């Protein structure tokens, strides 16, 4: 059998199984419910799942949608570099094909990576307005279908209702 794939997550759904501690989950020889061709007709359950660090053969993955809000601290160039890495990964990841990335204060060079997914916005106010519209659409879809976001994506019901947006900003936070 192949080595298991390990993901560090707060919560996870099948086909992940618990690992050695409360935040480690494994994917090992899983019986996936769909083959690759059939899966292409559904939304990815975790479209904002990204790698933020690597050590040996392990990746640290974060589900940005589950986090909702996160702050990257440290030296500015390093922090903005991490945001660039995440934006580029989401622009090219197959499971993120329905994600819209709204860049604020950096990344003017990134949209050519994927013009369908990446846009540079003039300020955080414009990005937050678009995030609110997306959150309202998702909440309306949840109410109409009676299902959660991940389950709704996997069911194929109302596929346009589950599309996430992510807005990384390199603008300093105001006190």
């Amino acid at each position: 059998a192949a080595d298991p794939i390990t993901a560090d997550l707060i919560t996870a759904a099948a086909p992940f199984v618990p690992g050695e501690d409360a935040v480690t989950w494994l994917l090992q020889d899983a019986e996936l419910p769909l083959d690759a061709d059939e899966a292409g007709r559904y939304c990815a359950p975790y479209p904002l799942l990204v790698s933020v660090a690597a050590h040996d053969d392990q990746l640290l993955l974060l589900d940005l949608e589950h986090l909702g809000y996160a702050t990257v601290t440290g030296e500015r160039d390093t922090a903005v570099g991490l945001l660039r890495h995440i934006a580029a990964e989401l622009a090219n990841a197959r499971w993120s094909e329905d994600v819209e990335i709204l860049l604020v204060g950096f990344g003017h060079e990134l949209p050519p990576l994927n013009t369908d997914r990446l846009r540079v916005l003039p300020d955080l106010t414009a990005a937050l307005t678009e995030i609110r519209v997306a959150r309202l659409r998702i909440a309306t879809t949840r109410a109409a279908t009676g299902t959660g976001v991940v389950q709704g994506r996997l069911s194929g019901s109302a596929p346009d209702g589950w599309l996430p947006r992510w807005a990384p900003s390199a603008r300093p936070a105001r006190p």
Side-chain angles (χ1 to χ4, degrees):
D3 290 335
I5 297 170
T6 302
D8 291 323
L9 305 167
I10 300 301
T11 58
F16 288 96
V17 296
E20 294 178 12
D21 55 47
V23 296
T24 302
W25 295 78
L26 303 172
L27 178 63
Q28 184 172 5
D29 298 331
E31 282 290 324
L32 300 177
L34 305 170
D35 64 37
D37 292 333
E38 189 178 2
R41 296 193 309 255
Y42 294 89
C43 297
Y46 304 104
L48 287 172
L49 188 65
V50 295
S51 65
V52 294
H55 179 69
D56 294 329
D57 64 344
Q58 296 183 351
L59 287 176
L60 174 62
L61 302 172
L62 292 179
D63 181 1
L64 299 174
E65 188 172 32
H66 180 78
L67 286 176
Y69 177 86
T71 301
V72 179
T73 60
E75 196 264 313
R76 178 172 166 63
D77 288 345
T78 303
V80 173
L82 177 59
L83 294 177
R84 270 191 186 85
H85 160 80
I86 293 170
E89 184 172 308
L90 290 173
N92 292 291
R94 184 175 181 186
W95 61 87
S96 299
E97 66 186 10
D98 296 322
V99 172
E100 192 172 0
I101 305 145
L102 312 171
L103 306 168
V104 179
F106 79 104
H108 291 15
E109 74 285 1
L110 294 176
L113 290 174
N114 190 327
T115 56
D116 291 335
R117 294 186 204 175
L118 290 160
R119 286 191 294 138
V120 177
L121 295 184
D123 54 47
L124 196 51
T125 300
L128 290 175
T129 298
E130 293 205 28
I131 294 291
R132 284 185 195 103
V133 169
R135 289 180 56 93
L136 179 60
R137 183 188 65 248
I138 290 170
T140 301
T141 303
R142 285 185 70 178
T145 62
T147 187
V149 174
V150 172
Q151 294 80 14
R153 287 179 180 147
L154 292 174
S155 74
S157 65
D160 290 342
W162 308 113
L163 307 179
R165 289 187 177 137
W166 180 60
S169 174
R171 303 254 194 260
R174 293 192 179 132

